[in-house]
Amino acid sequence: MSRKTCAIILAGGQGKRMKSDLPKPMFKVLDMPMLDWVTRACEEAGVTDICVVTGFNNEVIEKHLDGRYHTVFQPERMGTGHAVMMALDWLGERGDSDVLILNGDAPFIDRDTILGAHALHSEKGNAVTVITSEIDDPTGYGRILRTADGISGIVEEKDATAEQKKIREINSGAYWFDTEKLIYALGEIKPNNSQGEYYLTDSVYVLISAGFRADAYISSNSDAVLGANDRKGLLLLNNTARFAIIDRLMDEGVEFTCTDGVAIGRDVKVGRGTVILQGVILRGNTVIGENCVIGPNCLVENCEVGDGTALNSVQAFDSVIEDNVKIGPFVQIRPGSRICTGVKIGDFVEVKNSVIGKNTAVSHLTYVGDSDVGSGVNFGCGTVTSNYDGEKKYRTVIGDDAFIGCNTNLVAPVRIGNGAYTGAGSTITKDVPDGALAVERGQEKIIEGYGARKLKGRIEKNRKG
């Protein structure tokens, strides 16, 4: 970019039809607030000097931004022009720049559109460049009135003639301005409308009337104009983003057998040859390797998954799952875990902050927490690592090739040696040497006839039933 640049993002909207106390720009599209989509687009385009105009429930946005950008407060919502006026002092310090105006609830503005519009803005020496889009049904949008050299204005639908309503090029609500000329225009616009509001679109007319040049840049991204005024619109945004990512991944060699319930975040990476089944949610910075099968019904967040791994009804968070692992169904992998190559984890297992070594089998109904497990270990059904004594958490260490019998309780801190064996039903509180067998059971006592007496009434009832 030839000149300094900055951006103002309008994020003061309440969104009454959302029926929520949350500011509209904070509603999420694919688990990320719409405002973050917009700020990210700015930063990807190299526009990092950003001012966010807050309004309704501004504390929520202030807390979310956490000082990353300058903010100004709009105490009354009196139109888009009024919102920009709140940043006049900030603009005054940037008079030698071009300023980008964006809406915080229009998440699909993109880097290429921002850069392309600014290139036109600079090349033509424009006072204002309106970012536009051509859509099949422009109903409800302001139409762009083009001339042989630029534009002559924007006409709203209610004011458009029948011929003007046929125009398919519409205003996205995003603009590049020469900052000094924007400051001039803001001083000239008046609230001469039924709403008594200051419209930013009026600044375009002010600049044209003053003899400055105005033009429009047609974005190739027709979704750049999309926003949400209610929950139905928000659903549309989510589906638009969702299918855009699915389409891209299919082009990259990822297979989808069904897209029902599939939601993949924009930062997720999926290797070719991987199959995504229904009900799969991939979030955050998740990376899925090649030739995996993910699903059905999985939630994976901020995880690294290796090649050839199969996850079935798994929830996994902030963990690493290596190559050729098979997990599920009904398994939770909690943060801080590493599941090494060749591991098999069966139904109703939870792993937390643990390393599970290569080719280990944790077949079913087991909890492994705060543990370091070697390779080739076999866990019997119902094993529990008792890692918490009510005050502190301790680690369990299990050596290579150990065999943990069914219903074993491993009371940490404890170490099970290489090739060691624990008898079913044991509660192990002391270290077990390599190759040893540990059995800890109470003495079995048999009382003849007790069951017959105790269960007599129940047995008779069952027989009658």
Side-chain angles (χ1 to χ4, degrees):
M1 294 184 178
S2 57
R3 299 185 72 196
K4 293 180 181 178
T5 59
C6 59
I8 294 176
I9 299 175
L10 309 184
Q14 178 176 356
K16 293 181 180 179
R17 281 181 280 175
M18 293 289 190
K19 295 181 172 59
S20 171
D21 292 332
L22 193 67
K24 189 163 66 164
M26 291 301 296
F27 280 89
K28 293 182 178 181
V29 173
L30 293 185
D31 299 305
M32 189 166 76
M34 290 189 283
L35 178 59
D36 287 1
W37 285 71
V38 180
T39 57
R40 179 180 290 194
C42 288
E43 294 195 345
E44 288 175 349
V47 184
T48 57
D49 186 11
I50 297 172
C51 176
V52 178
V53 181
T54 67
F56 173 74
N57 206 352
N58 65 303
E59 296 89 353
V60 173
I61 293 179
E62 295 277 2
K63 182 178 180 181
H64 175 72
L65 294 178
D66 192 28
R68 285 178 289 155
Y69 309 112
H70 183 80
T71 60
V72 294
F73 177 61
Q74 184 187 15
E76 297 179 86
R77 263 61 72 200
M78 296 174 60
T80 51
H82 182 261
V84 178
M85 289 176 188
M86 299 300 100
L88 275 172
D89 289 344
W90 185 82
L91 283 172
E93 299 170 356
R94 291 159 176 81
D96 59 345
S97 68
D98 291 327
V99 59
L100 174 66
I101 310 293
L102 298 175
N103 292 310
D105 57 359
F108 299 145
I109 189 70
D110 62 282
R111 171 187 178 274
D112 290 346
T113 295
I114 292 171
L115 291 176
H118 190 260
L120 177 67
H121 184 77
S122 300
E123 178 187 347
K124 299 293 186 179
N126 296 334
V128 57
T129 302
V130 184
I131 296 176
T132 67
S133 185
E134 289 185 336
I135 60 176
D136 292 333
D137 182 8
T139 303
Y141 290 96
R143 310 304 206 278
I144 301 301
L145 303 180
R146 284 196 171 268
T147 66
D149 184 30
I151 65 172
S152 61
I154 305 167
V155 61
E156 298 301 326
E157 166 126 343
K158 59 183 175 59
D159 300 320
T161 65
E163 195 64 26
Q164 288 170 337
K165 288 180 180 179
K166 296 178 182 178
I167 297 171
R168 293 174 51 244
E169 184 180 2
I170 63 169
N171 179 20
S172 71
Y175 311 83
W176 275 107
F177 284 94
D178 177 292
T179 299
E180 288 185 344
K181 294 180 176 62
L182 173 61
I183 293 171
Y184 160 74
L186 291 174
E188 296 296 317
I189 61 175
K190 308 297 180 186
N192 297 327
N193 52 71
S194 60
Q195 301 297 320
E197 294 184 349
Y198 296 86
Y199 295 148
L200 188 58
T201 50
D202 289 347
S203 65
V204 177
Y205 289 104
V206 168
L207 293 173
I208 292 172
S209 299
F212 295 113
R213 192 177 193 282
D215 207 339
Y217 174 82
I218 304 176
S219 173
S220 61
N221 173 17
S222 60
D223 292 334
V225 302
L226 294 179
N229 292 319
D230 54 24
R231 301 282 183 167
K232 294 177 183 178
L234 186 64
L235 176 60
L236 175 62
L237 292 181
N238 272 279
N239 280 333
T240 299
R242 190 166 68 93
F243 281 106
I245 290 171
I246 289 172
D247 286 345
R248 172 177 59 79
L249 289 174
M250 286 193 289
D251 288 341
E252 295 172 0
V254 178
E255 179 179 345
F256 293 83
T257 62
C258 176
T259 58
D260 291 350
V262 174
I264 299 175
R266 61 182 293 182
D267 295 325
V268 172
K269 295 179 176 60
V270 184
R272 64 182 181 177
T274 286
V275 179
I276 306 294
L277 303 179
Q278 64 267 30
V280 170
I281 301 171
L282 305 178
R283 291 176 175 166
N285 295 312
T286 292
V287 177
I288 307 292
E290 297 182 355
N291 303 312
C292 296
V293 178
I294 309 299
N297 306 320
C298 289
L299 169 58
V300 183
E301 184 174 292
N302 296 321
C303 289
E304 180 181 337
V305 179
D307 298 337
T309 286
L311 306 181
N312 173 14
S313 298
V314 173
Q315 294 201 354
F317 306 90
D318 301 286
S319 295
V320 175
I321 301 170
E322 296 183 359
D323 299 341
N324 302 311
V325 171
K326 184 177 181 180
I327 304 180
F330 315 121
V331 172
Q332 180 174 205
I333 308 298
R334 290 170 59 188
S337 296
R338 176 177 285 271
I339 313 301
C340 296
T341 298
V343 167
K344 295 181 180 179
I345 299 179
D347 52 306
F348 303 105
V349 172
E350 181 176 346
V351 179
K352 172 249 179 185
N353 190 30
S354 296
V355 176
I356 309 296
K358 291 182 179 180
N359 300 318
T360 285
V362 189
S363 295
H364 38 213
L365 298 166
T366 292
Y367 171 69
V368 183
D370 298 305
S371 298
D372 299 298
V373 180
S375 63
V377 175
N378 186 85
F379 282 79
C381 176
T383 296
V384 174
T385 57
S386 303
N387 55 322
Y388 183 50
D389 67 359
E391 294 182 356
K392 296 182 180 180
K393 293 182 179 180
Y394 301 91
R395 295 194 75 80
T396 294
V397 178
I398 300 174
D400 296 342
D401 303 310
F403 188 97
I404 310 302
C406 292
N407 292 318
T408 294
N409 297 307
L410 301 173
V411 182
V414 68
R415 184 187 186 281
I416 308 300
N418 295 325
Y421 199 116
T422 67
S426 295
T427 296
I428 306 300
T429 59
K430 298 178 181 179
D431 292 352
V432 180
D434 293 350
L437 167 65
V439 182
E440 199 287 326
R441 302 172 183 155
Q443 183 178 359
E444 184 173 339
K445 183 177 182 180
I446 297 175
I447 303 175
E448 296 287 349
Y450 179 87
R453 295 192 300 273
K454 180 71 173 178
L455 302 176
K456 180 179 179 181
R458 182 171 178 274
I459 292 170
E460 290 176 350
K461 182 179 179 181
N462 289 341
R463 286 174 177 172
K464 290 178 181 179

